[in-house]
Amino acid sequence: GQSLEQPSEVTAVEGAIVQINCTYQTSGFYGLSWYQQHDGGAPTFLSYNALDGLEETGRFSSFLSRSDSYGYLLLQELQMKDSASYFCAMDSNYQLIWGAGTKLIIKP
Amino acid sequence: NAGVTQTPKFRILKIGQSMTLQCTQDMNHNYMYWYRQDPGMGLKLIYYSVGAGITDKGEVPNGYNVSRSTTEDFPLRLELAAPSQTSVYFCASSEDNSGNTIYFGEGSWLTVV
């Protein structure tokens, strides 16, 4: 079947670095996306990896290893506004399958 | 900068009633989607469209219908509402069918009582 696993909750301190992992299982894989969703808001696109390696966009980076069926989102210099849920989503067989999301709690 | 606009934002329905969630986008995207999100969960695809006149079922299509008569509009119809359809509904659009840059509407909170 097709599935993604990510931790349900991660806690970090303001100014620190946090990594949110995502493992996936599928028969046809084309890419891994990351989206941010604040409480009561809509998901917003953060990054997309189609190939192995690291993609960097400001304070956010995303990594993909296709051989390990694994990716992660790295958030640096955490700010209180980064408190949100983060979803990985895999592009598989022309449909986007979403993980259940990781709630990031940031403490001052 | 309208992007994806969906209405209504909030609605309470009685069991058995029907309603239509409206969605329009002004980015000339071919791909449009309807998702539902239950509390604490990820998004589940209800229906999607790859262009005007073409629609297809997603993971959870039962109890819903869609149409795509124009590139801009992609309404979602709920027939015979049931409590299991209580959820937040998101309309979205994209240039292609990868996960790369999907734009979402603000969401519609639907309660069926």
Side-chain angles (χ1 to χ4, degrees):
Chain A
Q2 299 177 95
S3 65
L4 297 102
E5 283 193 22
Q6 52 181 131
S8 59
E9 190 175 289
V10 170
T11 301
V13 177
E14 190 177 14
I17 299 172
V18 72
Q19 179 174 312
I20 299 173
N21 298 321
C22 176
T23 57
Y24 60 87
Q25 192 172 16
T26 183
S27 56
F29 176 84
Y30 298 93
L32 191 72
S33 308
W34 289 93
Y35 283 78
Q36 179 192 62
Q37 186 180 32
H38 287 99
D39 282 349
T44 56
F45 173 77
L46 291 177
S47 88
Y48 178 73
N49 295 70
L51 303 174
D52 285 0
L54 193 68
E55 293 280 344
E56 296 180 78
T57 311
R59 294 188 296 115
F60 294 1
S61 304
S62 59
F63 172 82
L64 176 66
S65 168
R66 296 172 71 112
S67 59
D68 294 323
S69 298
Y70 163 74
Y72 66 72
L73 180 70
L74 190 73
L75 296 83
Q76 302 182 74
E77 300 172 18
L78 284 171
Q79 302 175 10
M80 297 304 294
K81 68 178 182 180
D82 297 329
S83 297
S85 291
Y86 292 84
F87 293 87
C88 57
M90 91 182 147
D91 181 13
S92 170
N93 297 323
Y94 305 107
Q95 283 201 15
L96 201 59
I97 309 295
W98 293 74
T102 298
K103 187 175 181 68
L104 175 60
I105 298 169
I106 300 174
K107 298 185 175 180
Chain B
N1 255 18
V4 179
T5 304
Q6 56 179 110
T7 57
K9 195 164 178 70
F10 300 97
R11 182 74 187 266
I12 298 174
L13 273 182
K14 292 184 178 178
I15 294 171
Q17 285 185 321
S18 300
M19 75 160 295
T20 300
L21 296 175
Q22 302 292 344
C23 176
T24 188
Q25 53 95 5
D26 63 358
M27 296 173 282
N28 203 34
H29 287 165
N30 283 324
Y31 293 83
M32 294 190 74
Y33 316 85
W34 274 106
Y35 288 96
R36 61 175 287 173
Q37 185 178 30
D38 298 329
M41 302 295 288
L43 293 119
K44 299 286 188 184
L45 183 65
I46 306 171
Y47 270 94
Y48 67 100
S49 169
V50 302
I54 306 169
T55 62
D56 210 346
K57 296 177 180 178
E59 293 177 82
V60 291
N62 292 344
Y64 307 95
N65 269 304
V66 293
S67 60
R68 186 93 182 271
S69 56
T70 66
T71 300
E72 295 78 20
D73 300 310
F74 191 42
L76 176 73
R77 179 127 180 108
L78 282 74
E79 303 282 1
L80 299 175
S84 61
Q85 293 178 303
T86 294
S87 191
V88 183
Y89 292 83
F90 289 101
C91 180
S93 73
S94 65
E95 285 187 2
D96 60 38
N97 66 344
S98 76
N100 197 356
T101 320
I102 296 177
Y103 296 89
F104 286 83
E106 292 295 306
S108 296
W109 274 253
L110 178 66
T111 302
V112 182
V113 296

